[in-house]
Amino acid sequence: MKVVTTPMCQEILRLAGVQDFEVTKHPDSADADIAVVLSETDTKMESVKIKLNTFSQIMDSIKRVSNIFGTEPLIGDISELEFKEDASADHAVKNEELNRKIKVKVHSNFLREVVEDMGFSIVSDHEDYLVYPDYMVDELVDEVSTMGDRAVEIPSHKSAPINPVERAQLRYNILEKRLCMKL
């Protein structure tokens, strides 16, 4: 069976123990049996769609891909990821009350998932902070200007590490530094 994936998903296949796959930006142009792609990616071929925004989504994706392809996940890497996922969960529990008091307006679904995972309250107005992806900065000039230093720009796929674990760490760290215990 020929497996193809996108650059954004290749680390998940590696962590899931899949050894034989091709990486391409355009899965439909490859002569493959199945593609592993991000959930929002449209493909014409049979595909496994995964989400990689939160640590739990990354873990679920690794386990799912491993189950589908009958592979053994790489133990060391998964243990490290589980630790990060646990650390994220510990942080959320310790700061759950505090984080819920912080009202965040979020632009984009992928950031909404991260902000929710961290336990912040998502609102549509009267926000304490504005969180938005870097690709929306031109659309949100007035809103960003009004919010000043309470506007938090988060790197999107093109401006963040391709490795989903590193990308998630970057985003969580930015949000933690900018939002946690600031009010």
Side-chain angles (χ1 to χ4, degrees):
M1 171 187 305
K2 186 171 179 184
V3 179
V4 67
T5 191
T6 60
M8 297 293 283
C9 297
Q10 69 181 344
E11 183 67 5
I12 298 305
L13 273 77
R14 188 189 73 74
L15 290 171
V18 178
Q19 294 180 1
D20 190 21
F21 59 90
E22 180 182 319
V23 179
T24 180
K25 289 183 180 182
H26 308 286
D28 283 331
S29 67
D31 182 28
D33 300 307
I34 190 167
V36 178
V37 296
L38 292 174
S39 61
E40 61 271 14
T41 304
D42 290 326
T43 59
K44 294 176 183 168
M45 65 173 32
E46 182 180 348
S47 59
V48 176
K49 296 191 178 242
I50 59 177
K51 295 192 93 168
L52 305 175
N53 299 321
T54 68
F55 288 117
S56 59
Q57 289 174 347
I58 293 168
M59 273 304 300
D60 291 345
S61 294
I62 292 168
K63 291 174 183 174
R64 184 168 173 233
V65 169
S66 176
N67 287 337
I68 288 170
F69 294 106
T71 58
E72 191 64 38
L74 303 179
I75 302 299
D77 292 323
I78 286 196
S79 297
E80 181 181 324
L81 183 57
E82 285 173 344
F83 172 77
K84 290 172 186 163
E85 181 182 15
D86 291 344
S88 173
D90 286 347
H91 170 78
V93 169
K94 288 177 187 172
N95 295 306
E96 188 172 343
E97 259 183 67
L98 187 62
N99 287 0
R100 282 192 190 173
K101 293 178 183 177
I102 299 172
K103 295 177 270 180
V104 182
K105 182 175 182 180
V106 182
H107 286 280
S108 94
N109 290 330
F110 83 90
L111 288 176
R112 175 179 291 275
E113 292 171 355
V114 176
V115 170
E116 284 175 341
D117 188 54
M118 294 182 77
F120 297 107
S121 294
I122 295 180
V123 297
S124 57
D125 56 12
H126 304 296
E127 66 273 11
D128 299 314
Y129 289 93
L130 170 68
V131 174
Y132 62 95
D134 56 3
Y135 60 82
M136 292 185 80
V137 70
D138 293 337
E139 293 173 49
L140 302 171
V141 171
D142 292 339
E143 207 170 341
V144 169
S145 177
T146 300
M147 293 301 292
D149 67 349
R150 295 180 304 130
V152 182
E153 184 175 293
I154 302 295
S156 64
H157 300 310
K158 293 180 181 178
S159 305
I162 199 160
N163 180 306
V165 177
E166 293 172 9
R167 189 171 54 250
Q169 282 179 309
L170 173 69
R171 291 173 178 162
Y172 277 79
N173 286 338
I174 290 170
L175 289 168
E176 186 170 4
K177 286 178 185 170
R178 297 288 305 276
L179 304 184
C180 293
M181 298 184 268
K182 296 287 183 180
L183 295 179

